[in-house]
Amino acid sequence: DSGVTQTPKHLITATGQRVTLRCSPRSGDLSVYWYQQSLDQGLQFLIQYYNGEERAKGNILERFSAQQFPDLHSELNLSSLELGDSALYFCASSVRGSDSPLHFGNGTRLTVT
Amino acid sequence: KNQVEQSPQSLIILEGKNCTLQCNYTVSPFSNLRWYKQDTGRGPVSLTIMTFSENTKSNGRYTATLDADTKQSSLHITASQLSDSASYICVVSADRAAGNKLTFGGGTRVLVKP
């Protein structure tokens, strides 16, 4: 068990809808990262937060947004969903920045129909 | 452009046999290299982390090597077990001056057959 909790585990929704994915990092970890993994593809970095502030941005679409709250949990919001957004979304956390080991949650599987 | 290339893309081995996975990178300036194991539908789990000065590190039956001069790493699995069936991902971190940016390889999918 990595200590990183993601909810929900599965999400099925229709095109055009909006969903929110939630991540609770490991106790004591200040950084949260979001990754997207489409079927049989590698992990694509979306965004990183450190202690409530955005630290780095990857290939995140404008339809997607995220935030990290004072209690350090994070939410990833996906809107105007398209079929191509169907993927596994992973959250990871680390003590500091990405120079420290990353611990991944088990992901949220999003299916857009 | 920072890149991490893994080979082979996939391989099938018989239970009990050994195998070696390769990772070549162009990330610079280099900070560390990590190997992760990802079971299907699960999050990646760290196997090893190596810095510039380390050229080998073991974690049970997994042994990673690093040649920072040639920018190559390998992950050797000894006496494979069915539970080793997974994707293995090589991740290279740039140093602090470059924001510790992580570059992910595409992974090698390993299938261990009885």
Side-chain angles (χ1 to χ4, degrees):
Chain A
D1 182 10
S2 69
V4 178
T5 303
Q6 290 188 247
T7 57
K9 289 185 180 179
H10 303 277
L11 202 48
I12 301 174
T13 189
T15 54
Q17 295 298 305
R18 171 190 170 96
V19 296
T20 297
L21 313 183
R22 182 188 169 100
C23 170
S24 294
R26 262 186 358 149
S27 177
D29 284 0
L30 297 178
S31 275
V32 169
Y33 311 76
W34 287 97
Y35 293 88
Q36 179 192 56
Q37 188 175 42
S38 301
L39 188 63
D40 292 333
Q41 299 294 309
L43 287 156
Q44 298 295 320
F45 171 63
L46 296 178
I47 198 165
Q48 176 199 355
Y49 281 83
Y50 176 80
N51 204 20
E53 295 194 1
E54 183 182 305
R55 175 62 66 89
K57 223 169 189 177
N59 301 321
I60 188 166
L61 300 172
E62 285 193 9
R63 300 183 286 108
F64 296 0
S65 65
Q67 55 184 326
Q68 186 180 28
F69 294 87
D71 67 351
L72 301 178
H73 91 271
S74 179
E75 293 181 355
L76 178 67
N77 300 296
L78 315 176
S79 61
S80 302
L81 285 168
E82 302 175 359
L83 295 178
D85 296 328
S86 296
L88 268 167
Y89 291 84
F90 288 103
C91 169
S93 71
S94 65
V95 172
R96 304 180 301 275
S98 51
D99 59 326
S100 47
L102 264 60
H103 302 271
F104 285 83
N106 281 321
T108 292
R109 182 175 294 279
L110 173 66
T111 302
V112 183
T113 62
Chain B
K1 180 182 176 184
N2 289 338
Q3 286 188 310
V4 175
E5 300 286 341
Q6 292 188 242
S7 62
Q9 274 194 315
S10 63
L11 73 124
I12 300 173
I13 58 173
L14 291 176
E15 188 178 12
K17 299 296 186 183
N18 304 334
C19 68
T20 300
L21 316 180
Q22 300 292 339
C23 172
N24 297 336
Y25 62 93
T26 60
V27 174
S28 181
F30 174 87
S31 175
N32 60 71
L33 185 145
R34 314 167 188 198
W35 283 95
Y36 284 86
K37 176 187 179 188
Q38 185 180 19
D39 293 317
T40 301
R42 309 277 287 183
V45 174
S46 179
L47 294 176
T48 62
I49 298 177
M50 288 182 293
T51 60
F52 185 89
S53 59
E54 297 172 295
N55 56 24
T56 187
K57 186 165 274 191
S58 291
N59 179 353
R61 294 178 296 101
Y62 301 101
T63 299
T65 65
L66 173 64
D67 186 333
D69 291 331
T70 62
K71 298 187 177 182
Q72 295 179 324
S73 176
S74 66
L75 180 69
H76 187 75
I77 305 176
T78 302
S80 61
Q81 299 177 358
L82 297 179
S83 60
D84 293 329
S85 294
S87 286
Y88 293 83
I89 305 168
C90 176
V91 183
V92 181
S93 174
D95 72 8
R96 183 167 299 199
N100 295 118
K101 183 178 178 183
L102 299 177
T103 303
F104 284 72
T108 293
R109 181 167 293 188
V110 174
L111 176 61
V112 180
K113 288 193 168 182

